[in-house]
Amino acid sequence: MKLSDLNNEQLKAVKATKGPVLVFAGAGSGKTRVLTYKVWYLIKNKIYSPKEILALTFTNKAASEMKERINKSIKCDGVTVGTFHSVGARILRKYIKNLDKRYSSDFTIYDGSDQKLILKEIIEELDLNNYKELNPNLLRAKIDSFKNASMSVKDVQSEAHGFENEKIAEIYNLYLEKLIQNNAVDFNDLILLPIRLFKKNKSSLKSYRNLWKYILVDEFQDTNSPQFELISFLSSGHKNITVVGDDDQSIYGWRGANIDNILTNFKDTFPKAVEIKLEKNYRSTQRILDGAWSVVSNNTNRAEKKLVATKGQGEKISLIPTGNDKEEALAVADSIKKDIKINKSTFQDFAVLYRTNAQSRIMEQIFMREGLPYSIVGGTKFYDRKEIKNVVAYLILICNPNDNIALKRIINFPVRGIGEKTIKLLNDLANKKETSLFESLQFAEELKLRNKQCDAIANFYGSINKFHNLLEKLDCKELFRVILEEFNIEYYYKNNPVEQDRYNNLQELKSSIDHFAETSGGGLREFLQEIALYTDLDDWNNKQNSITLMTVHAAKGLEFPTVFITGLEQGLFPLMRIDDSIDQFEEERRLFYVALTRAMEKAYLLNAHYRRRFGSQNTSSFMQSDFLNEINKDSLKLKKYKSVYTKRVVNSANGKTVKVARTVTEFDDFAVGDMVQHNLFGVGIIIVLNGAGENQKVGIEFKDGLKKKLIVKYANLKRID
């Protein structure tokens, strides 16, 4: 690393090593460079030792990349680089007993599915199954919003009016109690509980203030109120803190992010903060930047800045209106194929962005048919797959026997003859003896179960206990393999022909644990924490040669030579309802800004006049997005989706030369003269092509002169090259 690699503003941000610093870093302006160079500068000049530096990010991927960049230039062992949640977990592992003696350091971190299982239990206990508005999904969202706003049970109870709200308050209280009973925390607790700890136990706060003497925060615009409170606690003594962010990229208001943290709250908390703006862009062309700015500049709640490209003007942004969602997908596919053919691009150069995950279906369908390789960010995560959840539940229970969610998941996997009725009896026994569900297993004979059931429960209890006692003696590689053998898990999947994919995933998990043990040196507890904090982006491999499909939210922080932004229609992007506020609309604008600034060289904007939504067989008509009305027209070029009528001479299957007519579009799937394979009629040649999209019709002459008219969407035709 050399300071000469930095521009003047970047250098100013790096050299500001005393007191609070607020850096407004526009898209592609080198904010990650500033953060990594600053850590390097602090260590190189011996201003702070590595162990005195804390760098906070929002994703594991960003944390890993930052560590990797710093390590290339200087030894930085001891620097704490992690997400807010991983650092919160680190604090709680050490001090959670000071907060509540019912907790132990082996607590489990619950994900969304675990939260919903607890809420389902509570709903059943309170006999609220008939109240549709009190479902696990809604309740989880409510509880997350309470925690994002730092609301206690008392706060919620004081604002509860009416039956539904009173029950929600009651459920919230029971939910928190069950977390403690299970020795578990949820994601929000990883921030909230350290704050409670610091308020209650000043010595623990003092220890971390003395430990981390310089704090850096990435993506500061995405912090919520508890996260801001946490870093304020940690830095309030020395006030040596640098935060980097872009208010124009604040897109997580729906999950509690507070844009005012970067616009006003930081300067209110640290009035002597130095403010620096990074406006030189190293990613995109000027036309892309001007197009993005022309939309986001309509927001009233923002800090004024305008990015200047170092890459020149570049080509105009393409706008492609289409008739329906299938045509939209075809337009994307055709544009990619043309670019690859003409410019020798690779598939990994392209990203297709959409507002909702549901939009990927039609895109996948078309890409599969066209033979275009793609990968989706945001599908079922590896660690969310059933077989992986089951195996991981064994690991969790061995670390934390109080985790009832993990226990219930695996007590009858593989099958042991322990059904729901038996689990309920065990639960009642646990309540009677005032013990945990796991500890109640040793008293199972009191329930007068069948001998086979008693033996199964006793064996299960004994094995889990045995491995719990071996936690400190075996590394996680050894432990995992012994567990697979002890509980016949690997045998179960390996010898079941229909479970081969699950068996392969199990082998992948084995490899994952091996890699973790070899690279980190951590044990089972550390491995479980790592996967609990796993995100969709951690699954994404930008090295594989495939087109990336993802939501705009998932694309944040990434960049691609060519980006397609689809679904630019009112009600979809922006995704707005009648009762939505101006603040919500401004966030949608920022989301569009994020989408467009992912593009380095080329950007395509697409919409459809008709689109199927939410699984409906009927199409709905849409008006084009307001963003297309706001965008700078000088940065835009229109690519019309037009039909043309042509005649072509082709050779038919029986050797005759014929003239055929066709109506084609700019983005046709098939062409007259194409050789195709049909499952029933065999090989034939297309002699007539009519229409476009999913209602496209083809006339095909098969062998022996057989002629058939077929609708493309039902015919399942395969092109023969």
Side-chain angles (χ1 to χ4, degrees):
M1 289 182 178
K2 297 180 293 184
L3 292 179
S4 58
D5 294 335
L6 304 174
N7 65 41
N8 290 337
E9 295 306 299
Q10 289 173 336
L11 185 62
K12 185 179 175 183
V14 167
K15 285 189 168 184
T17 60
K18 298 293 181 184
V21 181
L22 171 61
V23 182
F24 284 97
S29 64
K31 69 175 177 64
T32 306
R33 169 172 282 206
V34 165
L35 287 167
T36 52
Y37 268 69
K38 189 154 191 172
V39 173
W40 166 79
Y41 185 81
L42 292 170
I43 298 170
K44 184 176 181 292
N45 292 283
K46 298 181 178 178
I47 302 169
Y48 298 100
S49 69
K51 68 178 182 181
E52 293 175 321
I53 300 170
L54 168 66
L56 290 167
T57 66
F58 269 84
T59 66
N60 299 312
K61 194 175 184 70
S64 299
E65 286 174 356
M66 190 181 293
K67 283 180 187 174
E68 193 176 324
R69 287 197 196 186
I70 300 165
N71 271 321
K72 283 181 180 176
S73 298
I74 197 166
K75 190 176 180 181
C76 64
D77 293 344
V79 175
T80 301
V81 183
T83 65
F84 274 92
H85 294 98
S86 68
V87 170
R90 170 177 169 171
I91 294 168
L92 291 176
R93 295 287 180 204
K94 188 172 183 178
Y95 287 113
I96 197 166
K97 283 186 178 180
N98 292 351
L99 186 61
D100 193 317
K101 292 191 183 313
R102 291 175 293 175
Y103 272 116
S104 78
S105 60
D106 290 328
F107 60 80
T108 305
I109 302 170
Y110 278 175
D111 62 14
S113 63
D114 296 325
Q115 287 178 276
K116 285 187 280 190
L117 286 172
I118 287 185
L119 290 165
K120 190 178 176 183
E121 281 184 8
I122 294 170
I123 291 167
E124 288 173 358
E125 287 172 14
L126 298 178
D127 196 23
L128 296 171
N129 282 312
N130 293 328
Y131 294 90
K132 291 182 180 179
E133 58 278 10
L134 297 175
N135 61 75
N137 284 319
L138 180 142
L139 290 168
R140 184 201 165 203
K142 283 279 186 185
I143 288 170
D144 283 350
S145 69
F146 296 153
K147 290 192 173 188
N148 282 329
S150 300
M151 292 178 73
S152 67
V153 171
K154 286 183 179 178
D155 295 332
V156 175
Q157 287 171 337
S158 67
E159 296 182 10
H161 303 291
F163 175 82
E164 184 182 320
N165 289 328
E166 287 171 1
K167 285 298 174 185
I168 289 172
E170 185 180 0
I171 290 167
Y172 185 27
N173 185 43
L174 286 170
Y175 171 81
L176 297 179
E177 281 298 313
K178 280 189 178 286
L179 284 180
I180 297 172
Q181 289 169 15
N182 290 357
N183 190 29
V185 301
D186 61 26
F187 268 51
N188 290 299
D189 288 333
L190 296 174
I191 310 299
L192 290 172
L193 294 184
I195 293 170
R196 277 178 52 198
L197 172 71
F198 292 156
K199 288 178 178 177
K200 181 180 178 180
N201 192 291
K202 300 298 182 187
S203 64
S204 59
L205 174 59
K206 188 178 178 181
S207 70
Y208 283 107
R209 281 178 177 168
N210 292 335
L211 174 62
W212 293 319
K213 294 178 180 177
Y214 203 97
I215 297 173
L216 304 98
V217 184
D218 192 13
E219 304 287 5
F220 186 63
Q221 77 281 346
D222 292 330
T223 54
N224 60 21
S225 297
Q227 287 164 339
F228 183 72
E229 190 176 3
L230 180 63
I231 62 173
S232 298
F233 265 119
L234 292 171
S235 61
S236 59
H238 50 69
K239 294 182 173 57
N240 294 319
I241 180 171
T242 294
V243 300
V244 182
D246 182 9
D247 54 298
D248 286 335
Q249 297 186 72
S250 180
I251 59 174
Y252 292 108
W254 52 275
R255 70 179 190 196
N258 185 0
I259 195 173
D260 288 336
N261 285 346
I262 191 169
L263 291 176
T264 57
N265 294 343
F266 187 83
K267 286 179 281 190
D268 289 344
T269 304
F270 303 99
K272 294 183 179 179
V274 175
E275 185 178 309
I276 301 166
K277 289 184 180 179
L278 306 182
E279 296 177 292
K280 190 174 285 187
N281 177 281
Y282 297 91
R283 177 189 298 153
S284 307
T285 63
Q286 194 62 52
R287 280 199 169 106
I288 290 171
L289 295 179
D290 288 348
W293 179 84
S294 65
V295 175
V296 82
S297 62
N298 288 286
N299 281 354
T300 55
N301 194 27
R302 66 184 294 270
E304 187 50 49
K305 56 194 158 317
K306 190 171 182 182
L307 297 176
V308 178
T310 59
K311 297 175 69 170
Q313 282 292 103
E315 57 181 79
K316 289 186 176 184
I317 300 163
S318 296
L319 171 61
I320 307 177
T322 64
N324 56 52
D325 47 359
K326 190 170 184 179
E327 290 178 0
E328 180 186 61
L330 286 166
V332 173
D334 191 75
S335 297
I336 291 172
K337 288 190 290 185
K338 283 181 181 177
D339 198 288
I340 288 173
K341 187 176 181 180
I342 295 169
N343 299 315
K344 308 301 180 186
S345 305
T346 59
F347 292 116
Q348 66 189 40
D349 292 335
F350 302 94
V352 183
L353 308 184
Y354 34 78
R355 182 63 181 83
T356 66
N357 277 307
Q359 292 167 255
S360 72
R361 183 195 62 80
I362 189 70
M363 202 68 63
E364 286 187 78
Q365 184 181 320
I366 295 300
F367 279 19
M368 281 191 287
R369 201 174 73 188
E370 296 294 311
L372 296 174
Y374 66 91
S375 57
I376 290 186
V377 177
T380 302
K381 292 188 292 185
F382 178 76
Y383 292 104
D384 281 346
R385 293 168 185 172
K386 183 181 177 182
E387 65 276 16
I388 303 301
K389 285 277 244 187
N390 286 342
V391 178
V392 169
Y394 273 99
L395 308 182
I396 290 170
L397 191 64
I398 287 162
C399 282
N400 175 21
N402 287 332
D403 190 332
N404 290 345
I405 297 295
L407 189 152
K408 289 176 182 179
R409 183 183 290 278
I410 59 170
I411 194 170
N412 201 38
F413 170 80
V415 175
R416 299 184 179 90
I418 306 169
E420 289 294 325
K421 287 183 180 178
T422 305
I423 294 170
K424 188 177 184 307
L425 290 171
L426 288 166
N427 210 61
D428 293 340
L429 183 64
N431 293 333
K432 180 183 172 183
K433 292 186 176 292
E434 295 183 348
T435 187
S436 68
L437 181 58
F438 178 73
E439 288 302 324
S440 76
L441 300 183
Q442 62 185 308
F443 307 112
E445 69 275 3
E446 294 181 22
L447 299 175
K448 298 179 181 178
L449 303 170
R450 296 193 313 272
N451 288 340
K452 192 175 179 180
Q453 283 180 301
C454 284
D455 290 344
I457 293 170
N459 290 336
F460 179 79
Y461 176 81
S463 294
I464 298 294
N465 247 341
K466 177 177 69 176
F467 290 121
H468 182 69
N469 295 328
L470 288 172
L471 270 175
E472 308 303 330
K473 298 175 183 176
L474 297 177
D475 70 22
C476 53
K477 287 170 61 176
E478 293 175 286
L479 194 59
F480 184 66
R481 280 161 170 77
V482 177
I483 290 165
L484 291 180
E485 185 175 343
E486 176 91 5
F487 296 104
N488 292 318
I489 298 169
E490 193 162 27
Y491 178 86
Y492 171 82
Y493 286 120
K494 188 177 183 178
N495 292 280
N496 191 338
V498 300
E499 300 282 10
Q500 284 308 295
D501 284 345
R502 298 185 190 274
Y503 174 75
N504 293 337
N505 287 336
L506 191 63
Q507 301 311 303
E508 183 65 28
L509 177 62
K510 194 184 290 183
S511 299
S512 175
I513 291 175
D514 289 354
H515 178 74
F516 176 83
E518 291 160 7
T519 56
S520 74
L524 186 58
R525 294 184 181 92
E526 289 76 22
F527 176 74
L528 289 173
Q529 178 166 305
E530 178 167 284
I531 65 174
L533 302 175
Y534 212 71
T535 66
D536 291 340
L537 277 178
D538 295 323
D539 273 336
W540 179 64
N541 177 13
N542 63 343
K543 301 279 192 300
Q544 61 187 26
N545 191 20
S546 61
I547 304 158
T548 300
L549 307 183
M550 57 174 44
T551 65
V552 182
H553 282 98
K556 181 124 175 318
L558 305 178
E559 59 184 30
F560 302 88
T562 301
V563 169
F564 296 85
I565 306 171
T566 61
L568 283 164
E569 301 128 33
Q570 287 299 105
L572 185 57
F573 197 5
L575 189 64
M576 299 294 293
R577 297 171 292 274
I578 295 172
D579 58 345
D580 283 341
S581 66
I582 292 176
D583 287 345
Q584 288 168 306
F585 187 73
E586 292 204 347
E587 181 158 313
E588 289 290 312
R589 271 206 193 96
R590 294 193 293 269
L591 195 58
F592 177 80
Y593 175 86
V594 167
L596 192 49
T597 54
R598 299 311 93 196
M600 301 163 70
E601 298 162 9
K602 297 179 187 176
Y604 294 79
L605 310 179
L606 297 100
N607 60 12
H609 186 61
Y610 292 98
R611 183 180 300 274
R612 291 186 180 183
R613 293 195 63 187
F614 310 117
S616 171
Q617 291 301 305
N618 300 316
T619 57
S620 302
S621 74
F622 290 90
M623 295 172 58
Q624 75 170 20
S625 170
D626 278 346
F627 304 149
L628 298 178
N629 301 323
E630 294 176 346
I631 199 166
N632 178 2
K633 299 301 182 287
D634 293 337
S635 303
L636 212 57
K637 64 179 177 184
L638 179 66
K639 289 185 71 174
K640 290 184 179 178
Y641 190 88
K642 58 187 178 181
S643 296
V644 294
Y645 184 78
T646 65
K647 286 189 175 181
R648 187 175 174 186
V649 176
V650 299
N651 292 320
S652 68
N654 59 15
K656 295 179 181 178
T657 300
V658 295
K659 280 188 178 182
V660 296
R662 60 173 182 159
T663 303
V664 299
T665 69
E666 193 175 340
F667 305 111
D668 259 339
D669 327 338
F670 295 102
V672 172
D674 280 350
M675 296 290 290
V676 292
Q677 174 79 47
H678 188 273
N679 289 339
L680 181 62
F681 304 119
V683 176
I685 187 170
I686 296 177
I687 59 173
V688 177
L689 188 72
N690 188 274
E694 62 184 4
N695 293 316
Q696 190 175 50
K697 298 175 183 173
V698 291
I700 303 174
E701 184 170 350
F702 294 95
K703 61 183 179 180
D704 302 322
L706 177 67
K707 295 179 181 178
K708 289 285 182 181
K709 289 183 180 178
L710 303 170
I711 299 174
V712 169
K713 72 174 176 180
Y714 301 120
N716 194 24
L717 298 171
K718 293 180 181 176
R719 187 186 284 107
I720 301 174
D721 294 324

